[in-house]
Amino acid sequence: MESDPERHTLSSLGKVGKSSGEIGDDQEPLINGSHGIPENYSVAAAVLPFLFPALGGLLYGYDIGGTSCATISIESATLSGVSWYDLSSVQIGLITSGSLYGALIGSVVAFNIADFLGRRRELILASVLYFVGALVTALAPDLAVMVVGRFVFGVGIGLSMHAAPMYIAETAPSQIRGQLISLKEFFIVLGMVAGYGIGSLLVDTVGGWRYIYGASTPLAVVMGIGMWWLPSSPRWLLLRAIQGKGNMQELKDNAIYCLRRLRGPVIGDSAPEQVNEVLTELAYVGEEKPVLFSEIFRGKCSKALIIGAGVVLLQQITGQPSVLYYAASILQSAGFSAASDATRVSILLGLLKLIMTGVAVLVVDRVGRRPLLLGGVSGMFVSLFLLGSYYLFLDDVPAAAVVGLLLYVGCYQVSFGPIGWLLISEIFPLRLRGRGLSIAVLVNFGANALVTFAFSPLVDLLGSGILFYGFGVITVAALVFIFFIVPETKGLTLEEIEAKCL
């Protein structure tokens, strides 16, 4: 079992309905007095099992950044290189949101195939869809084929954003699990900055949109080859073993082999003991029981679903797309000449996102998930109040809007940005993790689509100031939800989270 060498006993966690999910002072062993086997790992050995799945996040971020520039290129009469450049707003919407709709379908597909395929093969499939989708988009002879390519790429996003957090969570040493999963968010933001940067270089080239989309194919190949080389998740193998979906001894031996590859030589002879302990804990928490669809909405998984889906829903409906929509005009009103160029503004904010996500990565396993969420979302509330006040009362004080904008971006990236993906990857019970996480990812992309669709009508109906105040009210609800519902998972193995938090 993955256990923290700094901690030989476990402590009680606050239950839902009590303030704080922090680890208490009264210590107790998790299972029948067992204190767990100290987990040794090599940082070098932990890099590749993180890196190749994280490339899926990098490609997702690149698609966001690159598409903002590709749509400029394809609408140009002189630079698009096609005769069908005169596109309507609906057609442009199909290009920009085609991958989002694909991601929604990918999340639904993941619900049905994730536990059968396993995390590794799901990521291999995602890399193939990334490659095919990017290639079809880049070589598209007309709009219809281009939209098909965007949709295929989006299905890859849905599978990748479902499987990558699970694979990283199940293979990472518990001491650095939070850092590695949060670092995946860093890769998403890095991909966005790369997309904006490469897009800005190619946007003035004839047919530049083709090169922008085609540039992602080499990364998809690297991701696919890397995932083919990496071993399967030992926990997924042990889950199949304990549920009777294969020969117990063969699956157990395979899990030991995979664990040794993931940890490196430093694990020594403790791999069989760790595998045996994981099997013991899986039996203790009832993982051998058959999975029923209705069980997702009952017992432990229903609690995990409330936590996971609640966090990613609040992640999307607290105004992030709306705040970024106003970034260029806010900076321009404050006198920044770069604000006249939307791409340069996006790069500027992307760099700020990178820095703040880096801060979260560095402290998440020391500070914990809850403090980052509570502190970051509190800062988002202050920033939304400043932005709402600027559009209602303080239009002659642009500094208030600039401070609100930068504060919002920074606070989001140390809280909801990385911690949302981290929590959904570790909160679900193992035998329901694939299906539970697919629902959480579906909620994430669905809420994203809804907010994007509703934003302009809401601005027309309410005005920008009232809308930002409305997002501020939602952040207050988010703080209440986090304070009373979300547990602290810092320092716990995945089996301990299931036994103590659910």
Side-chain angles (χ1 to χ4, degrees):
M1 181 190 72
E2 296 181 3
S3 58
D4 190 338
E6 300 292 331
R7 172 191 40 74
H8 297 290
T9 58
L10 299 175
S11 49
S12 299
L13 291 177
K15 299 297 182 182
V16 171
K18 297 181 180 180
S19 65
S20 171
E22 300 291 345
I23 297 174
D25 295 326
D26 298 327
Q27 294 185 333
E28 61 181 16
L30 176 59
I31 299 173
N32 299 327
S34 171
H35 295 303
I37 299 167
E39 179 185 19
N40 297 318
Y41 68 94
S42 162
V43 173
V47 169
L48 293 182
F50 155 78
L51 179 62
F52 291 123
L55 288 180
L58 187 72
L59 286 163
Y60 172 41
Y62 178 84
D63 184 69
I64 295 172
T67 296
S68 67
C69 298
T71 52
I72 297 173
S73 169
I74 203 168
E75 287 186 285
S76 170
T78 56
L79 296 175
S80 65
V82 296
S83 59
W84 39 277
Y85 64 86
D86 187 18
L87 302 174
S88 68
S89 59
V90 172
Q91 291 171 321
I92 289 294
L94 286 174
I95 294 173
T96 56
S97 60
S99 61
L100 178 58
Y101 299 136
L104 285 168
I105 298 301
S107 303
V108 175
V109 171
F111 182 90
N112 296 297
I113 69 170
D115 289 330
F116 167 73
L117 282 182
R119 292 59 164 132
R120 171 176 164 270
R121 284 184 289 185
E122 187 178 349
L123 283 165
I124 293 172
L125 177 59
S127 69
V128 172
L129 292 171
Y130 273 143
F131 178 82
V132 172
L135 201 62
V136 169
T137 303
L139 300 177
D142 54 44
L143 177 64
V145 175
M146 184 180 186
V147 172
V148 169
R150 300 287 296 133
F151 182 84
V152 171
F153 193 94
V155 176
I157 291 174
L159 294 179
S160 176
M161 299 310 291
H162 171 261
M166 281 198 298
Y167 186 89
I168 297 170
E170 292 180 2
T171 60
S174 57
Q175 302 98 312
I176 58 173
R177 185 181 66 241
Q179 286 185 322
L180 292 179
I181 299 175
S182 300
L183 197 57
K184 185 187 71 67
E185 169 71 13
F186 183 90
F187 268 57
I188 294 175
V189 178
L190 183 64
M192 291 172 60
V193 175
Y196 292 134
I198 293 173
S200 65
L201 293 176
L202 296 174
V203 72
D204 293 326
T205 304
V206 175
W209 61 274
R210 297 187 185 275
Y211 301 113
I212 292 170
Y213 285 121
S216 63
T217 53
L219 269 182
V221 172
V222 172
M223 176 186 169
I225 293 173
M227 289 311 306
W228 186 271
W229 175 80
L230 284 175
S232 297
S233 161
R235 280 186 169 88
W236 177 73
L237 291 169
L238 294 176
L239 176 65
R240 293 185 68 79
I242 203 169
Q243 291 182 338
K245 297 179 179 178
N247 181 275
M248 167 66 83
Q249 191 58 48
E250 288 182 4
L251 289 168
K252 183 178 173 182
D253 291 342
N254 195 7
I256 293 171
Y257 167 77
C258 292
L259 186 60
R260 283 175 171 154
R261 282 192 59 191
L262 291 164
R263 295 290 180 269
V266 72
I267 195 172
D269 297 326
S270 65
E273 296 177 83
Q274 292 189 32
V275 165
N276 285 332
E277 190 166 350
V278 171
L279 279 172
T280 301
E281 294 197 6
L282 292 179
Y284 176 78
V285 295
E287 294 287 4
E288 77 284 355
K289 299 174 185 176
V291 176
L292 302 174
F293 177 80
S294 60
E295 191 178 354
I296 297 172
F297 306 100
R298 299 199 315 260
K300 289 182 177 182
C301 197
S302 68
K303 183 175 175 182
L305 198 59
I306 290 170
I307 295 169
V311 168
V312 294
L313 175 65
L314 291 166
Q315 179 193 59
Q316 293 298 324
I317 63 174
T318 45
Q320 189 209 193
S322 308
V323 172
L324 297 180
Y325 179 86
Y326 280 95
S329 61
I330 288 172
L331 292 178
Q332 192 169 25
S333 69
F336 291 93
S337 59
S340 60
D341 183 343
T343 301
R344 292 166 68 186
V345 173
S346 299
I347 293 174
L348 174 66
L349 292 179
L351 292 174
L352 175 61
K353 281 171 166 278
L354 273 179
I355 293 169
M356 299 310 295
T357 306
V359 171
V361 168
L362 292 175
V363 304
V364 65
D365 281 322
R366 292 198 297 269
V367 174
R369 285 68 160 148
R370 281 172 52 87
L372 287 178
L373 280 173
L374 291 169
V377 176
S378 297
M380 288 167 58
F381 170 76
V382 174
S383 65
L384 288 166
F385 178 79
L386 286 173
L387 288 168
S389 299
Y390 169 72
Y391 283 101
L392 289 175
F393 317 116
L394 303 175
D395 54 330
D396 58 341
V397 189
V402 174
V403 170
L405 171 66
L406 299 180
L407 180 64
Y408 183 95
V409 171
C411 288
Y412 180 90
Q413 288 306 135
V414 297
S415 56
F416 273 142
I419 307 302
W421 290 106
L422 170 57
L423 279 174
I424 64 173
S425 70
E426 59 187 12
I427 200 66
F428 290 99
L430 177 58
R431 67 196 180 96
L432 292 164
R433 185 170 297 141
R435 293 186 173 184
L437 205 145
S438 70
I439 293 175
V441 173
L442 181 64
V443 169
N444 179 280
F445 287 121
N448 186 318
L450 180 63
V451 170
T452 302
F453 175 80
F455 173 65
S456 293
L458 286 174
V459 170
D460 294 338
L461 179 66
L462 303 174
S464 302
I466 297 297
L467 185 57
F468 283 129
Y469 278 162
F471 286 134
V473 172
I474 297 175
T475 61
V476 174
L479 286 170
V480 173
F481 179 86
I482 294 164
F483 189 76
F484 287 104
I485 302 296
V486 177
E488 181 58 76
T489 58
K490 177 187 71 172
L492 301 177
T493 67
L494 298 178
E495 292 74 35
E496 292 165 2
I497 291 170
E498 179 177 351
K500 307 296 286 186
C501 300
L502 299 178

